Each structure stands twice: as structure tokens, then as C-alpha cells.
Amino acid sequence: KTTFCSAFSAGFFMTVTVSPWDMIRTKMMNQPTDKKIYNGFADCAVKTVKADGVLSLWRGFIPIWARFAPQATLQLLTIEAIYGVLGFKSI
């Protein structure tokens, strides 16, 4: 059904956009407290790209997608079902 494919695609594109930010956030949270490696979000992003390349920002894509895709799919299918029950047009 179109709704399922749309919801599944939304989970994929959400992962594509969220993964780099999640990677940088994780690196910042995992740095030692006594010796800072990064001086901020932008510094962490620049150092990561210089050290490992741009694609390293999407490292761990599959596990993140495995977490987001079912959530987005269920969420959008549920809202469509609720709209149908309440008599509203689907999105």
C-alpha cells in the first residue's frame, strides 16, 4: 500500500538526516571529562571529517535505521488509521 511505502521511506530519509548529528553527539558524549578532545559541536564535526572522511558521519547507519524505520512506519500507519476512523481525509 502507498501509505506503508511512504512511511518506510520516511524512516529511511529520517535516518539519512539524523545519522551525522547522532554520530557527532555520541563522540562528544564519549570524550573523557578530564581531557577534552573536542571544543564543541562544529570542532567535533570538522575533526571527524578530517580524520575519517565525510562518509564516517553515517557510520552505524543500519542500526539507526533499524530503530527509526519501524517507529516511523507504525507512527504514520497509526495516524492514517485514526484519520480514517474519525472520518478525515488521509494525508
Side-chain angles (χ1 to χ4, degrees):
K1 195 173 184 184
T2 305
T3 306
F4 178 79
C5 291
S6 297
F8 193 76
S9 297
F12 176 79
F13 287 107
M14 183 171 67
T15 306
V16 168
T17 57
V18 168
S19 290
W21 308 108
D22 192 49
M23 171 64 73
I24 294 168
R25 178 186 57 90
T26 302
K27 283 184 165 224
M28 294 210 35
M29 289 174 58
N30 289 336
Q31 70 180 334
T33 55
D34 57 339
K35 181 185 171 205
K36 290 184 108 179
I37 300 170
Y38 310 110
N39 292 323
F41 203 78
D43 182 51
C44 181
V46 168
K47 286 180 179 176
T48 300
V49 169
K50 280 185 180 177
D52 301 325
V54 174
L55 291 179
S56 69
L57 295 174
W58 285 272
R59 190 175 292 142
F61 179 85
I62 299 297
I64 295 171
W65 188 31
R67 187 177 73 213
F68 283 151
Q71 172 194 352
T73 303
L74 290 173
Q75 182 179 16
L76 294 173
L77 289 175
T78 302
I79 196 73
E80 285 290 325
I82 291 171
Y83 279 1
V85 168
L86 296 176
F88 295 113
K89 284 183 172 180
S90 69
I91 296 176

